[in-house]
Amino acid sequence: MRRMMKGNDAVSEAAIRAGCRFFSGYPITPQSEIVEYMSWRMDEVGGSFVQSESELSGISMVYGAAACGLRVMGSSSGPGFDLLQEGIGYIVSAELPALIVDVVRYGNGLGEIVPGQSDYWMVVKNGAHGDYHCPVYAPASIQEAVDLVSVAYDKAEQYRNPVIMMYDGAIGQMMEPVVLPEMKEHDPDKFEWSMKGRGGEPQKQITSACYYRHRDPQVYVDNLRTKYRTIEENEQRWESYMADDADLIFVAYGIMSRSCREAITEARKQGLKVGMIRPITLYPYPVKAFETLPENLKGFVSVEMSALGQMVEDVRLAVNGRKPVYNYATGKMIPDTEEFISYMKNVLEGKEESV
Amino acid sequence: MAKDLLTPKLVSELNRFCPGCGHGLIGKIIAQVLEERGVEDRAIQVYAVGCSCLISTVVQADSIQAQHGRAPAVASGVRRARPDAVVYTYQGDGDAAAIGLSESLYAAYRNENYTAIFVNNGVFGMTGGQMAPTTLEGQKTATSIYGRDTSVTGQPFKLAELVAQMPVAYVERCSLTDAKHIAQTKRAIGKAFDNQLAGKGYSFIEILSPCPTNWKMEPVDAYKRLQDIVAGEYKLGVLKDSEEE
Ligand SMILES: Cc1ncc(C[n+]2csc(CCOP(=O)(O)OP(=O)(O)O)c2C)c(N)n1
Ligand code: SF4
């Protein structure tokens, strides 16, 4: 059954239906709907909700419940997401699954409450210290977000690593028709590591893997390398749109990819051969999408709602010098079709500088 | 009594604390209390960052290490995830009263149904004996080499008194000075776990404990200081008992 839902509500409901039974969070725009939704919905399904006194505390509660094997979720935005980093780093170190959602707002410090994509560095390149990655899903529609929630839980458990879903405030707050999955039960006791009291067995420890699980330094290193290499090999997701024969390929994710797609459709009508690669995973970055390039390709444009252009670094790594890369950082604005087309023309006419 | 304290099966032979450290003794008391109630197999211990973290090598219950200061929040998550577990936190004074003060007070404020063990040794033990909120006036530490100047740093921090302001089940301050006080510490910890088992809510036990290494004292002198000086500033006794209100 299709129904109209707000992005944040739909993601919350999708998490519940994937078996999430613990949520703790703290209000911040444009993420607050998640906290609000979970506050009553967890009750209905017999799960637990805590409005924490801070994000530091909230993510710590999420860590505790994750250690007990529950499917858990935390979420925040901007300055609140900064405070989640400590807990995310510990959840990673203890090799626990969790789903963390960043509903991105724009700007530095307190910033603004308008949508943005300027959390790329923090989320994709990690805000906490140490050697790790979190798989990052960047849906472009509410339906895609809903579908990726259960994928995210499965991957988090498969790799014993938290997974982050990152979308901007526009996707979080707009309404779209969505089909929700069936309710799924999750058994917290299915893991040998879940905390429940030792029950006559030897003591279990949840702490950084370097102390007990992978105490041998080489085992520790090998485990991390194997984990992230496997993720990089098997978990890349992307969508290509009219990229096969393109003269110019845009790289855009999330909300930006929607305007970009419209502009490309219109540009094609005008005879401009442009296309798009839309990363769905930001870690692992979908480098496979960049393997074979159209013969006539002139370059790539990384387009993002940030002041400096953050993802462009990963585009450059993926392109690896084979073609020029252009950095179309649009601040807090999403270009309209006309602006996109004028940028395309400038690049194709050699009027833009590559990075 | 002393022989008794050495017997819990939950306690491992391995004790990595310094000779004379109070942590090892408290670990044995906790193990004994859990075993006497037959709940050691459903205990989940949430421990902190500091020398206190070595508690899980002494008390062999299922254990989770929280971030520095966040054990009360981690335990709040565990409490909800595992309604049948016997949950307790184990934290030092830097952990619970400095970096984790907010988490400590909010867990008490929510009257979380778990047991909090708070070890006051007056210093940051693990990092080399720096000043803690609990350091006494005039006490020399690695970051107060002329003695703690309370006109700048504030007075010794009374976490138990603060927690007692919250709607909690029980707050008591105990000490490890001698056999009599150790027996009282055991009774207090026992009561704190009984409260949890009866669903009465949050119980907080502060324990004055020696850190001979960073106090730069022989263990015997450290226990004497605990009695003569520390317990003078930190008054022992029950600070709150909801049953008696
Ligand atoms: C965020 C963070 N800051 C600082 C440290 C360093 N650190 C480790 S233990 C500790 C102090 C612990 O002191 P206390 O809680 O009194 O415990 P004790 O060692 O005395 O048992 C500090 C500051 C850390 N691990 N994490
Ligand atoms: S440094 Fe102090 S608190 Fe730490 S183990 Fe040694 S005596 Fe105990």
Side-chain angles (χ1 to χ4, degrees), chain A residues 30-277:
Chain A
Q31 164 261 189
S32 298
E33 294 83 0
I34 297 181
V35 183
E36 291 169 6
Y37 194 93
M38 289 302 201
S39 73
W40 58 269
R41 186 64 174 129
M42 271 299 175
D43 236 22
E44 284 189 350
V45 296
S48 302
F49 163 86
V50 187
Q51 181 168 331
S52 58
E53 65 273 23
S54 72
E55 290 84 352
L56 276 173
S57 171
I59 191 72
S60 307
M61 295 186 204
V62 166
Y63 171 33
C68 297
L70 263 64
R71 282 200 161 179
V72 297
M73 177 170 150
S75 65
S76 196
S77 179
F81 208 85
D82 298 356
L83 295 184
L84 298 186
Q85 301 302 331
E86 178 192 79
I88 293 174
Y90 270 68
I91 296 171
V92 167
S93 79
E95 299 199 289
L96 296 173
L99 173 62
I100 320 288
V101 178
D102 183 13
V103 189
V104 187
R105 58 195 249 167
Y106 181 78
N108 298 351
L110 182 58
E112 301 185 40
I113 59 169
V114 297
Q117 294 187 313
S118 43
D119 283 5
Y120 189 94
W121 283 331
M122 171 171 67
V123 170
V124 179
K125 304 300 174 188
N126 309 339
H129 65 282
D131 284 306
Y132 77 98
H133 294 284
C134 291
V136 179
Y137 292 98
S141 70
I142 298 178
Q143 185 66 58
E144 187 173 44
V146 162
D147 296 342
L148 285 172
V149 164
S150 64
V151 174
Y153 277 115
D154 290 344
K155 298 300 172 188
E157 286 169 10
Q158 180 180 345
Y159 295 106
R160 293 188 60 169
N161 202 89
V163 169
I164 299 177
M165 176 166 289
M166 174 163 86
Y167 53 83
D168 68 278
I171 292 180
Q173 302 206 315
M174 69 193 184
M175 292 186 85
E176 280 183 342
V178 56
V179 180
L180 292 165
E182 293 295 306
M183 189 70 87
K184 212 160 106 178
E185 289 301 319
H186 167 77
D187 175 13
D189 295 333
K190 74 176 182 182
F191 310 111
E192 27 70 36
W193 48 259
S194 345
M195 285 281 131
K196 51 177 180 282
R198 51 181 213 171
E201 303 289 318
Q203 171 193 40
K204 298 189 287 298
Q205 289 271 8
I206 296 276
T207 178
S208 174
C210 66
Y211 297 134
Y212 294 97
R213 195 155 176 253
H214 304 132
R215 190 176 200 140
D216 177 326
Q218 195 55 47
V219 173
Y220 175 78
V221 165
D222 290 345
N223 171 64
L224 289 178
R225 287 184 188 161
T226 309
K227 178 190 295 206
Y228 296 119
R229 269 188 208 142
T230 312
I231 291 174
E232 284 160 20
E233 186 49 41
N234 298 332
E235 304 302 340
Q236 296 181 26
R237 288 182 186 228
W238 73 91
E239 180 201 355
S240 288
Y241 180 65
M242 297 192 167
D244 290 350
D245 65 340
D247 291 337
L248 189 63
I249 296 179
F250 280 78
V251 188
Y253 69 92
I255 193 77
M256 183 64 90
S257 69
R258 296 167 63 136
S259 305
C260 190
R261 183 191 305 267
E262 277 173 32
I264 287 167
T265 312
E266 177 57 32
R268 285 269 172 175
K269 286 185 202 149
Q270 299 181 17
L272 290 167
K273 281 168 71 184
V274 289
M276 173 172 72
I277 293 171

Side-chain angles (χ1 to χ4, degrees), chain B residues 16-23 51 54 121 123 125-126 210-214:
Chain B
R16 289 158 62 197
F17 296 112
C18 306
C21 176
H23 279 304
C51 292
L54 297 173
N121 61 14
V123 286
M126 178 161 270
C211 171
T213 303
N214 288 303

Side-chain angles (χ1 to χ4, degrees), chain B residues 23 49-52 68 92-95 99 121 123-127:
Chain B
H23 279 304
V49 174
C51 292
S52 53
H68 192 19
D93 39 12
D95 195 88
I99 195 166
N121 61 14
V123 286
F124 282 26
M126 178 161 270
T127 41

Side-chain angles (χ1 to χ4, degrees), chain B residues 5-245:
Chain B
L5 284 176
L6 294 173
T7 47
K9 287 197 210 63
L10 201 58
V11 167
S12 86
E13 293 300 308
L14 184 79
N15 178 345
R16 289 158 62 197
F17 296 112
C18 306
C21 176
H23 279 304
L25 185 53
I26 300 169
K28 282 178 195 156
I29 298 173
I30 293 172
Q32 214 175 36
V33 163
L34 292 173
E35 284 186 357
E36 282 170 6
R37 283 155 186 77
V39 297
E40 67 274 22
D41 278 344
R42 54 189 180 104
I44 301 180
Q45 153 175 271
V46 183
Y47 63 96
V49 174
C51 292
S52 53
C53 76
L54 297 173
I55 197 67
S56 76
T57 64
V58 174
V59 186
Q60 307 259 296
D62 265 9
S63 301
I64 305 172
Q65 180 167 36
Q67 314 96 291
H68 192 19
R70 318 286 175 235
V74 173
S76 300
V78 171
R79 175 72 288 156
R80 285 161 183 73
R82 293 290 183 190
D84 297 330
V86 174
V87 182
Y88 65 98
T89 54
Y90 188 86
Q91 297 178 272
D93 39 12
D95 195 88
I99 195 166
L101 179 62
S102 169
E103 286 74 16
S104 297
L105 290 184
Y106 269 93
Y109 171 69
R110 290 190 299 267
N111 196 21
E112 295 283 343
N113 191 37
Y114 73 74
T115 302
I117 309 293
F118 171 60
V119 181
N120 176 353
N121 61 14
V123 286
F124 282 26
M126 178 161 270
T127 41
Q130 296 85 2
M131 189 180 76
T134 45
T135 298
L136 298 188
E137 178 161 18
Q139 186 180 338
K140 290 183 178 151
T141 72
T143 50
S144 59
I145 55 171
Y146 303 114
R148 180 174 188 176
D149 178 355
T150 52
S151 71
V152 181
T153 64
Q155 298 291 326
F157 201 98
K158 308 275 167 60
L159 184 55
E161 278 78 351
L162 259 183
V163 170
Q165 302 300 307
M166 303 289 169
V168 299
Y170 192 73
V171 181
E172 180 169 345
R173 183 181 287 122
C174 312
S175 168
L176 298 180
T177 37
D178 51 30
K180 189 177 117 223
H181 286 97
I182 291 169
Q184 182 53 34
T185 301
K186 192 184 158 195
R187 274 195 294 276
I189 292 178
K191 172 142 185 160
F193 278 101
D194 288 339
N195 283 343
Q196 178 183 161
L197 291 167
K200 289 185 184 157
Y202 186 87
S203 298
F204 179 93
I205 309 298
E206 173 169 340
I207 302 160
L208 306 183
S209 174
C211 171
T213 303
N214 288 303
W215 293 2
K216 303 193 184 355
M217 285 178 163
E218 289 303 317
V220 177
D221 299 330
Y223 280 84
K224 195 164 163 15
R225 175 179 184 270
L226 203 59
Q227 173 88 319
D228 297 347
I229 300 175
V230 183
E233 175 72 33
Y234 291 100
K235 298 278 179 267
L236 304 183
V238 177
L239 292 153
K240 171 145 190 159
D241 187 347
S242 60
E243 273 172 20
E244 285 170 13
E245 279 168 11

